[in-house]
Amino acid sequence: EPFEPWHLALLALQPEQASMRPFLTLSYGQALKDSGEGYTAFDGPTVIACAGVAHCWPGRAQVWSLMSQSLSEYGALVHRAVVRYLRRCPVRRLELTVDPAHDKAVAWARRLGFTYESTMPAYGPNGETHDMYVRIRKG
């Protein structure tokens, strides 16, 4: 369903993203909502994932995702939903950043058609190094 800022309070983050918890305020959630499309996957009252696209300017956007600790149970469903979204996404340049030590996130970015572009020291909210991956729409 469409992402709402309060969904973040229901999200039990996966361990690899747990350091993000202090930043997941209602105002941060509102900024995500205001930046572009966003979606939340639920199983009953349980939030499985929140994800979306933050538009920077026409033709360029950053993908964001926050995944629950129970993602492994729903990973295939979430993957298929993201693939469907990417097929119809008109944005020319999509960017995403990942912690290079989070092997599953790196592998998923590649399965989704993103390619490594650069390493960005001190990029994360706690000063972590992130890698930038991009997906360029042809045509």
Side-chain angles (χ1 to χ4, degrees):
E1 70 179 60
F3 171 76
E4 292 294 335
W6 59 268
H7 295 168
L8 296 177
L10 302 178
L11 181 62
L13 284 171
Q14 64 183 332
E16 296 85 355
Q17 291 183 312
S19 66
M20 287 291 297
R21 175 51 65 198
F23 303 99
L24 302 184
T25 63
L26 279 176
S27 61
Y28 180 76
Q30 189 63 50
L32 289 174
K33 181 178 176 174
D34 293 344
S35 70
E37 294 178 78
Y39 302 94
T40 301
F42 282 93
D43 181 9
T46 303
V47 173
I48 305 307
C50 298
V53 174
H55 294 276
C56 303
W57 53 71
R60 178 177 168 242
Q62 287 201 341
V63 175
W64 61 271
S65 65
L66 297 160
M67 304 296 179
S68 80
Q69 58 192 6
S70 58
L71 178 65
S72 61
E73 300 172 43
Y74 305 92
L77 292 170
V78 170
H79 177 76
R80 285 194 297 273
V82 171
V83 167
R84 280 192 307 273
Y85 176 82
L86 289 173
R87 279 191 195 126
R88 67 177 176 76
C89 182
V91 177
R92 180 179 56 253
R93 178 187 169 90
L94 283 176
E95 304 169 345
L96 64 80
T97 67
V98 297
D99 175 347
H102 188 179
D103 295 335
K104 288 181 181 180
V106 170
W108 191 36
R110 290 181 175 151
R111 278 196 317 278
L112 291 171
F114 288 82
T115 57
Y116 171 83
E117 185 175 75
S118 63
T119 295
M120 301 180 305
Y123 182 86
N126 296 303
E128 309 90 344
T129 293
H130 281 207
D131 285 347
M132 173 72 75
Y133 284 78
V134 299
R135 179 181 163 126
I136 308 295
R137 184 174 53 88
K138 308 289 190 250

